[in-house]
Amino acid sequence: MFLRLAHQHRQFVQDLVMNLQALAVVLERRGYPASCYTCGDQMNSASFMVSLGDNHLIRFLVSDYGITWTEMRDDRELMKLEGAEAISQLDELANLVKQSMQTDTGSKTLAKKY
């Protein structure tokens, strides 16, 4: 049972890393400085960052040790979430990007939320 759970966890992290990479590409195309760095070829960890302007930065980390969402403004931490809450916040960001692509007011939609 534990080996199966370990395999599922590795697969989950890999899927999350691939989605972070895609989100970084989409945000870059929408005009937001974004990046997603991974360590090694196994895609078992990543550091995702996006700048929403006005010294407003979001950082999402995923690894075997955990998942965190950190939101900063003017180099001060506004919010730090972990685990499922961090993933929910990331999902909200991704949904806002999707919405902004449909309405074509990308910077206004994201700037209003964050």
Side-chain angles (χ1 to χ4, degrees):
M1 175 179 84
F2 294 111
L3 291 176
R4 178 181 55 82
L5 290 172
H7 175 73
Q8 287 176 340
H9 178 73
R10 275 189 227 101
Q11 187 63 50
F12 166 76
V13 169
Q14 289 174 351
D15 289 348
L16 187 53
V17 169
M18 285 190 301
N19 282 293
L20 287 170
Q21 289 174 326
L23 182 58
V25 169
V26 170
L27 285 165
E28 276 281 325
R29 289 181 182 161
R30 300 294 292 168
Y32 294 96
S35 63
C36 183
Y37 297 101
T38 61
C39 300
D41 296 336
Q42 296 181 9
M43 298 187 46
N44 56 8
S45 64
S47 172
F48 167 87
M49 294 189 351
V50 60
S51 174
L52 299 176
D54 297 329
N55 294 320
H56 192 179
L57 181 72
I58 291 173
R59 182 173 185 192
F60 188 89
L61 299 173
V62 59
S63 72
D64 283 339
Y65 301 108
I67 297 168
T68 59
W69 164 285
T70 307
E71 190 170 342
M72 296 173 285
R73 188 178 296 256
D74 298 322
D75 295 326
R76 294 182 186 196
E77 190 174 295
L78 299 175
M79 175 173 49
K80 185 170 188 172
L81 302 172
E82 297 180 348
E85 290 177 332
I87 294 170
S88 293
Q89 196 68 26
L90 182 66
D91 187 54
E92 192 172 323
L93 175 64
N95 286 334
L96 284 171
V97 171
K98 288 177 195 174
Q99 179 185 9
S100 73
M101 291 173 74
Q102 292 171 351
T103 62
D104 207 32
T105 58
S107 58
K108 292 178 184 175
T109 303
L110 291 177
K112 285 181 183 176
K113 168 60 180 151
Y114 294 100

